[in-house]
Amino acid sequence: MDTLDEAYRRLHRTGPEFEGWLSNHGPMAVEALVHHGHDAGVHRWLDSYLDRLDELPRGVNPIDDWRAALGDPKRTGDWLAYFARTVAETPWRTVLATWWPRLLPGIAASATHGVIRVGHAVRALRDHTTPDRVTELGQALAYWAARWQPVPGAGAAAGTSGVADASDRLPRVPCQDGGIRDRLTQLSDVPGWPTALAGLRPPTGPDDAPRLLAEVVHRASLDFLRFGHANPVMLVHTVTAPTAVLRTLPELAPELWLPSLDAAWSATAAVTAAYAPAGGATPPPITVDSAEEAFDRASRNGDEHVVKLADAVVDVYAGTGDRSALAAAVYAAQLI
């Protein structure tokens, strides 16, 4: 058993949330640490993190009508039991192919942590399929199902704007206060929100969707440098949510790539509208020479959000060579 499987085994006795509604970031953070070669520090990190977590909730009533149970956090234990059986009986890629289109419209689930956790689980399984990694996918899907939440006004990209222009045109919710559910509820009444959300120029076809989604991630990482000071923890998810979708695309049928792009864009846009200020700020000068340095600094910081952002922007840098993306992770380490 390798370090990640050992870590998953420790974490799978804990629930997907703690202290009422905070997301358990343990499975996502340890996967990122192992992926970047930081195995040696995983169990030490877990030793301090596990004390914060709650026990795994138990199921009471089996899931019989999955549509009716979507988005009901009181059924979290039931969803965990359901997916534990499902991934034990069915190949994981088949489970993903079945449930991805069902869960995708609710991408805002738990501030996008459902889809993010699934993205990490899929990458781990792609590297090496083990029983513990299959179990992790089941728990990730269960969490997404229990907290399933649509983005108001979400639909297909149908505009003429590139990613940068579409991002700049996003309005803001009038009251940037309270939790994400309260903030996202306001979007239905924000003037221009549906138009701005649909204003992104669609890809030329499914094969173009990964490229455009990579642009969304890249732009979000640069926007973190402008807006991250306002709410660094929440604005990390403008980067990590679309990253999770991008990493999952290779395991999905091409007909799911366009709706996946649309959902990822809606998640990034919604969190931006809910937490980013209307005007950006200039971050302090940040020098980072390599992807390894950026992730090493995040690992030393130790915060789970910083680790996950660094994991995402290393991918951005690999695809673009833009060191400014790496600076977003260093900036997050300064803010969080």
Side-chain angles (χ1 to χ4, degrees):
M1 187 185 302
D2 66 11
T3 300
L4 182 56
D5 290 316
E6 291 172 350
Y8 276 157
R9 191 162 291 188
R10 296 178 69 186
L11 283 159
H12 289 160
R13 297 190 292 267
T14 66
E17 293 182 331
F18 63 100
E19 294 182 12
W21 56 272
L22 296 177
S23 293
N24 177 354
H25 289 71
M28 300 172 270
V30 297
E31 191 278 333
L33 289 166
V34 170
H35 183 79
H36 291 278
H38 287 249
D39 307 48
V42 164
H43 284 296
R44 183 170 60 252
W45 185 90
L46 265 185
D47 288 341
S48 61
Y49 192 75
L50 283 168
D51 289 340
R52 305 165 60 187
L53 304 179
D54 294 337
E55 293 183 0
L56 188 75
R58 297 178 179 231
V60 177
N61 298 308
I63 300 291
D64 49 9
D65 183 351
W66 64 264
R67 291 179 179 84
L70 280 179
D72 185 352
K74 297 188 294 297
R75 307 287 309 272
T76 299
D78 300 329
W79 278 114
L80 286 163
Y82 175 86
F83 276 106
R85 291 191 304 272
T86 301
V87 297
E89 297 169 354
T90 308
W92 71 265
R93 285 184 171 89
T94 303
V95 177
L96 182 68
T98 299
W99 280 93
W100 183 267
R102 295 174 177 178
L103 297 177
L104 191 63
I107 196 170
S110 188
T112 72
H113 286 108
V115 71
I116 295 169
R117 186 166 171 180
V118 167
H120 281 277
V122 168
R123 182 172 67 176
L125 283 163
R126 186 184 299 126
D127 288 344
H128 189 34
T129 299
T130 68
D132 294 302
R133 298 178 190 212
V134 170
T135 297
E136 170 56 21
L137 178 64
Q139 292 202 1
L141 290 167
Y143 186 34
W144 190 354
R147 282 291 185 181
W148 190 90
Q149 182 187 4
V151 173
T160 59
S161 297
V163 171
D165 288 342
S167 298
D168 286 342
R169 291 172 181 169
L170 292 171
R172 304 296 191 260
V173 300
C175 180
Q176 288 190 335
D177 197 10
I180 190 166
R181 281 186 172 268
D182 294 335
R183 297 184 190 218
L184 295 190
T185 298
Q186 299 176 53
L187 287 173
S188 298
D189 299 321
V190 171
W193 168 249
T195 301
L197 191 58
L200 181 67
R201 181 172 58 245
T204 56
D207 289 345
D208 191 39
R211 178 199 61 79
L212 191 57
L213 185 50
E215 284 190 27
V216 171
V217 178
H218 186 193
R219 175 64 187 210
S221 67
L222 300 182
D223 280 348
F224 187 87
L225 293 168
R226 297 196 296 152
F227 302 133
H229 65 281
N231 196 313
V233 168
M234 290 305 301
L235 288 169
V236 160
H237 304 96
T238 63
V239 184
T240 53
T243 295
V245 176
L246 183 60
R247 288 174 178 165
T248 307
L249 287 187
E251 303 299 334
L252 302 172
E255 58 262 29
L256 292 175
W257 291 4
L258 293 179
S260 296
L261 164 66
D262 292 330
W265 161 245
S266 76
T268 292
V271 176
T272 299
Y275 289 94
T282 302
I286 296 171
T287 301
V288 55
D289 293 328
S290 67
E292 291 76 13
E293 179 191 349
F295 195 85
D296 286 350
R297 290 167 75 165
S299 178
R300 289 195 298 272
N301 174 277
D303 180 87
E304 56 271 27
H305 300 92
V306 176
V307 168
K308 291 194 307 166
L309 181 61
D311 172 53
V313 299
V314 164
D315 282 2
V316 174
Y317 176 71
T320 66
D322 186 356
R323 284 203 179 110
S324 295
L326 297 177
V330 177
Y331 189 38
Q334 295 174 1
L335 294 170
I336 299 176

